[in-house]
Amino acid sequence: MSGIQFSQQQKEDFLEKTFTEYIGCHPTYTIPLIRAHNFIMRDIGPINTTIRYYIAIMAASRHRCTFLVQFLREQFLKIGGESEWLKGLEYAPIKLQSLNMINKILAHQPWLLKTTHIQLLFGQSLTKNINSWTLPELTHAIIIMAHFHSLCSLSFGCRFGYEPPECNVDEDGEIEIEELRFDNNNCNNNNNNGNIIKKIVKRSPASRLIVERCRQLEQEDANLAKIMNSFTLATANIKSGKHRNQKQQNNNNNKYRNKKHNGNNNNGDDKSTTTTTTMTTTTTTSTTTTTLSSSPNSDGSIKSESSTNDNSSSPSPDNDEFHPNTWSDDEWKKYNFNIFIDDPEFCYIDFAKRGRTTDTSTYRIQDYQWDDQGYSLSNYLFPDIASFLDEKFKVGYNLTYYTLGPKTNIDTSPFRRAVWNYIQSIYGIRHDDYNYREVNILLERQLKCYIKHLACFPELTPKHDFRSVMKGFRSSEKVHVIIMVAEARLQAEILYAMRTLMEYMKLSA
Ligand SMILES: CC(C)C[C@H](N)C(=O)O
């Protein structure tokens, strides 16, 4: 795939800014992402282009993603969208307003989507009018929404969590900075370095801060070998089935037993993180203060408060102007996302803690899978879309460089599968053939918390998290995890939506 060139238009439209800069280090993913994006937003499809952009604005507003909302507003006007509509949803056609409900459900609690929601959008045959949706239109709209909800996770994960770059100081005092910039000519998919493009820059007074950071990183690196060895061991144990012994031990662990009895273990969260938990050091413990609403607590579940980091260096205007956690009240007002959505308080709740009154049971992936049912239904309703989504899901799930930090030739599939299945379990999707104990063995608590935050509350992901979790990982590997979060989340939304559309079609057949 190296050597593929994007047209200037494509670059301007989508690759510039965040995505070019940060995801470009994974061209194997960037290319299908852009292909799918262009198909969803620009190619021939059931929905008119300006409307697509408006739906995308509604979707990105659910997660208050300034970067995307600004970008989409510009595009909307550029292609001739009604500027009046940008005053708020109430200025847009009723047909668009009617998407509000499924936008919020899909974004935060997709398991709540029911055929009645779909029914409302179609109207009864007698009352069918200009405001009614058709099945292909609705499928397109759902895919736009899910695509942008997932891009919010990608966007917050990368754009706001990436300072300063990893770097090393060599003996001559030059600094090697890992630059995760997209460069078609230098990208080689089989490159064990994860396509990192390094640049040597001369030390300058301005780089003193970076040098200090390098020293810190060197210290952290001292623990790296240990961490990676224990990870390799855990992975090997899982492959050889030895984790069953671990499971046995853990079953004797009182904390776990109590938790299980309380019925709170649906998400694979386990407060009694086992001794084999790996991947991070415990050297940095950040103190937090509460300022915003809703953030995950230390075991990966969400509590009603959020954090800013006492340890984070004071924000520079350049880096922080769009970061919600640093906004003043005035700044929040300036970007009034609420005009494009209703019920702004509606947010993710733990699937495990969903109200007893809801009739939602766990989604068994074996009953409705992407590969079979999801693929064919989406393709039937919106021709050709399935292969674009499928390509992205496959890369999101299978991408590997066989590296882990400084180690090479590592089979990371148990770790990647744990990340993927953990995210889907957050949305109530269970893979019957998966042993969820592996999640607790391979993902330490802080990482689970980060992942859950990024999937469910991307707008509240503390900026410093990118640095403080996944210690020992390369920056490109952290981006890789963020890609998995975005894709697993996207697939979860699409699965719930397609399953509900299928039920609706059966009912109305
Ligand atoms: C997310 C990372 C741990 C993935 C790893 N670098 C790999 O090549 O598979």
Side-chain angles (χ1 to χ4, degrees):
M1 263 189 231
S2 62
I4 285 189
Q5 297 291 328
F6 294 105
S7 72
Q8 192 53 34
Q9 176 60 27
Q10 280 172 324
K11 279 185 185 165
E12 276 167 18
D13 203 1
F14 187 71
L15 278 175
E16 62 176 6
K17 301 184 186 173
T18 311
F19 299 108
T20 319
E21 257 177 66
Y22 296 115
I23 308 168
C25 58
H26 296 288
T28 318
Y29 175 71
T30 314
I31 290 166
L33 171 69
I34 290 162
R35 272 198 204 121
H37 176 82
N38 285 338
F39 183 77
I40 294 167
M41 297 306 286
R42 298 160 165 220
D43 227 315
I44 295 169
I47 299 184
N48 153 316
T49 321
T50 46
I51 304 278
R52 295 181 202 184
Y53 278 90
Y54 200 81
I55 296 172
I57 292 172
M58 291 169 68
S61 295
R62 282 280 8 149
H63 285 308
R64 302 166 175 267
C65 186
T66 316
F67 165 71
L68 287 174
V69 173
Q70 291 286 68
F71 164 75
L72 291 164
R73 284 168 63 118
E74 281 163 25
Q75 294 298 313
F76 176 76
L77 292 173
K78 215 158 132 186
I79 57 174
E82 281 279 348
S83 58
E84 190 75 0
W85 297 7
L86 294 180
K87 286 187 184 165
L89 197 52
E90 60 192 281
Y91 293 84
I94 291 180
K95 185 167 172 174
L96 276 171
Q97 293 179 27
S98 67
L99 286 178
N100 234 328
M101 178 63 96
I102 55 170
N103 184 27
K104 81 174 185 192
I105 291 180
L106 281 175
H108 309 294
Q109 300 178 36
W111 57 87
L112 291 183
L113 193 68
K114 297 280 172 290
T115 50
T116 44
H117 298 120
I118 308 289
Q119 176 68 58
L120 282 175
L121 296 171
F122 289 128
Q124 305 302 323
S125 47
L126 282 178
T127 56
K128 262 202 191 314
N129 58 37
I130 195 167
N131 294 323
S132 308
W133 289 85
T134 65
L135 266 173
E137 282 175 342
L138 186 61
T139 310
H140 194 170
I142 284 172
I143 287 169
I144 294 171
M145 287 186 271
H147 175 60
F148 276 90
H149 296 150
S150 140
L151 284 186
C152 288
S153 294
L154 208 52
S155 185
F156 279 109
C158 295
R159 174 65 180 87
F160 305 116
Y162 207 64
E163 297 291 332
E166 289 180 9
C167 53
N168 302 304
V169 187
D170 72 12
E171 281 161 8
D172 299 321
E174 287 186 325
I175 304 164
E176 191 180 44
I177 299 184
E178 265 191 4
E179 290 221 321
L180 294 170
R181 288 181 199 286
F182 187 73
D183 180 344
N184 283 319
N185 302 324
N186 286 323
C187 286
N188 172 354
N189 295 328
N190 298 320
N191 178 349
N192 270 348
N193 292 327
N195 298 321
I196 289 164
I197 298 149
K198 290 189 172 175
K199 185 176 156 192
I200 307 293
V201 294
K202 285 277 175 201
R203 188 188 293 212
S204 71
S207 48
R208 238 181 297 125
L209 275 177
I210 301 182
V211 175
E212 272 168 32
R213 177 64 189 140
C214 292
R215 299 231 159 88
Q216 282 171 17
L217 284 170
E218 275 165 18
Q219 273 176 8
E220 286 166 11
D221 279 357
N223 294 307
L224 207 61
K226 220 169 86 193
I227 302 160
M228 291 306 162
N229 280 338
S230 64
F231 171 73
T232 319
L233 195 67
T235 309
N237 284 346
I238 279 171
K239 280 198 232 148
S240 66
K242 280 195 196 148
H243 66 289
R244 283 189 206 107
N245 298 337
Q246 183 66 44
K247 184 178 176 182
Q248 199 59 51
Q249 277 174 24
N250 287 337
N251 280 341
N252 295 331
N253 176 317
N254 281 339
K255 271 195 209 164
Y256 173 66
R257 214 167 32 215
N258 293 338
K259 189 169 163 65
K260 215 174 169 190
H261 283 169
N262 290 337
N264 274 343
N265 207 30
N266 269 23
N267 289 346
D269 285 338
D270 185 354
K271 278 184 180 153
S272 65
T273 311
T274 67
T275 45
T276 51
T277 298
T278 54
M279 295 297 209
T280 68
T281 64
T282 48
T283 47
T284 323
T285 315
S286 56
T287 5
T288 57
T289 55
T290 57
T291 49
L292 291 168
S293 63
S294 300
S295 75
N297 62 24
S298 55
D299 69 351
S301 61
I302 308 294
K303 64 180 179 186
S304 290
E305 52 188 27
S306 102
S307 54
T308 50
N309 185 11
D310 283 345
N311 293 348
S312 58
S313 51
S314 47
S316 73
D318 260 13
N319 298 329
D320 287 332
E321 60 183 330
F322 292 132
H323 194 267
N325 284 357
T326 64
W327 283 0
S328 65
D329 284 353
D330 282 351
E331 281 166 322
W332 272 108
K333 278 181 204 139
K334 200 161 74 187
Y335 293 100
N336 187 1
F337 301 98
N338 294 352
I339 60 174
F340 297 116
I341 55 175
D342 73 354
D343 197 2
E345 306 301 317
F346 188 86
C347 62
Y348 175 83
I349 55 155
D350 268 1
F351 181 81
K353 293 179 193 150
R354 68 199 180 282
R356 293 228 172 103
T357 47
T358 66
D359 56 349
T360 316
S361 52
T362 302
Y363 182 129
R364 293 178 63 251
I365 198 84
Q366 281 70 14
D367 295 341
Y368 194 90
Q369 311 204 22
W370 165 254
D371 284 346
D372 307 323
Q373 298 99 321
Y375 187 103
S376 38
L377 184 62
S378 57
N379 222 37
Y380 170 72
L381 295 170
F382 181 7
D384 298 335
I385 185 62
S387 58
F388 287 100
L389 293 176
D390 191 56
E391 196 183 5
K392 231 151 54 79
F393 292 151
K394 289 223 161 77
V395 174
Y397 191 84
N398 295 322
L399 181 67
T400 182
Y401 304 92
Y402 301 99
T403 63
L404 201 61
K407 291 201 166 214
T408 54
N409 295 324
I410 303 242
D411 176 5
T412 59
S413 55
F415 173 76
R416 289 182 287 107
R417 195 163 46 239
V419 171
W420 188 276
N421 289 349
Y422 174 62
I423 296 158
Q424 298 207 328
S425 76
I426 287 170
Y427 287 102
I429 297 179
R430 302 282 293 188
H431 296 249
D432 283 354
D433 56 353
Y434 184 68
N435 178 358
Y436 282 85
R437 176 129 301 271
E438 290 184 18
V439 169
N440 289 327
I441 296 172
L442 291 169
L443 311 185
E444 63 90 36
R445 216 164 58 184
Q446 204 192 359
L447 176 56
K448 281 196 289 187
C449 177
Y450 175 72
I451 286 173
K452 188 167 184 175
H453 218 152
L454 207 54
C456 309
F457 293 87
E459 67 276 30
L460 296 176
T461 310
K463 184 177 178 180
H464 67 276
D465 272 10
F466 186 87
R467 277 207 307 261
S468 58
V469 293
M470 299 183 269
K471 285 202 195 308
F473 277 26
R474 292 160 178 273
S475 301
S476 60
E477 288 174 328
K478 296 183 182 187
V479 174
H480 188 164
V481 171
I482 293 164
I483 288 172
M484 282 192 282
V485 173
E487 288 305 314
R489 176 195 176 172
L490 174 67
Q491 193 181 68
E493 275 188 45
I494 302 254
L495 281 173
Y496 275 112
M498 289 305 135
R499 192 180 67 165
T500 313
L501 283 179
M502 180 206 64
E503 284 164 6
Y504 170 79
M505 287 165 77
K506 275 189 188 160
L507 284 175
S508 52

